[in-house]
Amino acid sequence: MKSKIILFDLDGTLIDSTEAILESFAVAFKTFGEEVPSEDLIKKEIGYPLDKMFQTLGVPEDRVWDYVDAYKMHYRQISCAKTVLLPDASEAVQLASQIATLGVVTTKTAKYSIELLEHMGLMHYFDVLIGREDVINPKPNPEPIEKALTKLPSDTNEIWMVGDTCMDMLAAKAANVASVGVTCGYGSVNDLTSCTDNIYQNSLEAVRFIANR
């Protein structure tokens, strides 16, 4: 039995799907004849659930799910072709699998997340994947982490959350789980410094840190 559990965020932690996300947001806004927000504004919201992102970007609450549907219709067509693994992410997952039981906790739709990880040859390393549709309260609420842990061995000595934003770190803290921030994604170093003591450049460095604990 492995003595550790490592939970990974997805976007900005293991994968870079920025191109697919930006293109799908543009399609959603254009579908309803609206001006597309700047790429910088959209990037600032990546990591939040889609409905929250659209609301922050000015979509009225009663129209949000129409935009989400338009986004998803396009995203599912391009996600695999326009998403790449971040540098050293594959090595990070392989190393992590040697020392820990692994899971993914993401605000992305679980169905698309699984398809992406299968496309990249990594899904078989993970024992659980919790996506947006699996919970009522997404990160930074602890519910996604807590739900993932109910599906994993309960006799482990250490549990870690690896992510690129304070949402991941705050969810970990609320779930009483240790955290490691990575700077290869969407969260700034200043933000991460405010919400975790452990910050590394990428997921491989984060896993090496965890392995040596």
Side-chain angles (χ1 to χ4, degrees):
M1 180 67 68
K2 294 170 182 173
S3 62
K4 304 176 192 284
I5 288 174
I6 301 177
L7 303 174
F8 290 93
D9 174 52
L10 203 49
D11 280 307
T13 301
L14 295 178
I15 66 172
D16 181 0
S17 58
T18 305
E19 183 180 0
I21 291 170
L22 292 175
E23 183 177 314
S24 299
F25 266 93
V27 167
F29 278 94
K30 289 175 182 176
T31 296
F32 298 101
E34 297 294 337
E35 182 178 350
V36 180
S38 72
E39 291 188 354
D40 285 343
L41 284 176
I42 297 171
K43 286 179 182 177
K44 286 180 182 178
E45 300 305 315
I46 293 177
Y48 287 96
L50 284 173
D51 54 314
K52 301 297 183 186
M53 291 177 72
F54 277 113
Q55 283 188 56
T56 302
L57 293 168
V59 176
E61 188 173 354
D62 62 348
R63 299 295 311 282
V64 160
W65 292 106
D66 295 331
Y67 280 72
V68 170
D69 288 343
Y71 172 101
K72 287 185 175 182
M73 189 176 299
H74 186 73
Y75 184 83
R76 69 168 62 102
Q77 297 172 13
I78 64 166
S79 58
C80 288
K82 297 194 175 185
T83 299
V84 296
L85 282 171
L86 285 165
D88 297 323
S90 180
E91 293 84 351
V93 172
Q94 292 175 50
L95 175 60
S97 71
Q98 297 171 22
I99 63 167
T101 303
L102 306 185
V104 172
V105 177
T106 177
T107 53
K108 219 175 183 65
T109 302
K111 177 183 176 182
Y112 305 142
S113 300
I114 291 169
E115 288 176 358
L116 281 171
L117 288 170
E118 287 176 342
H119 176 71
M120 294 169 175
L122 294 180
M123 188 60 214
H124 66 280
Y125 288 107
F126 298 101
D127 285 12
V128 63
L129 187 149
I130 300 297
R132 177 64 184 95
E133 71 271 41
D134 297 317
V135 297
I136 296 172
N137 304 296
K139 295 178 293 185
N141 191 283
E143 182 186 346
I145 291 177
E146 291 170 348
K147 185 158 188 178
L149 294 177
T150 65
K151 301 177 182 296
L152 296 174
S154 58
D155 55 350
T156 50
N157 296 328
E158 296 179 39
I159 304 171
W160 294 85
M161 177 75 210
V162 179
D164 67 307
T165 70
C166 276
M167 283 185 292
D168 303 306
M169 307 300 103
L170 293 172
K173 183 176 182 180
N176 198 29
V177 166
S179 64
V180 186
V182 292
T183 59
C184 54
Y186 302 104
S188 70
V189 175
N190 286 340
D191 285 344
L192 288 170
T193 300
S194 71
C195 53
T196 185
D197 294 328
N198 310 307
I199 302 174
Y200 291 88
Q201 289 187 354
N202 57 41
S203 54
L204 180 57
E205 289 188 7
V207 171
R208 286 173 175 162
F209 164 74
I210 293 169
N212 291 323
R213 294 285 292 177

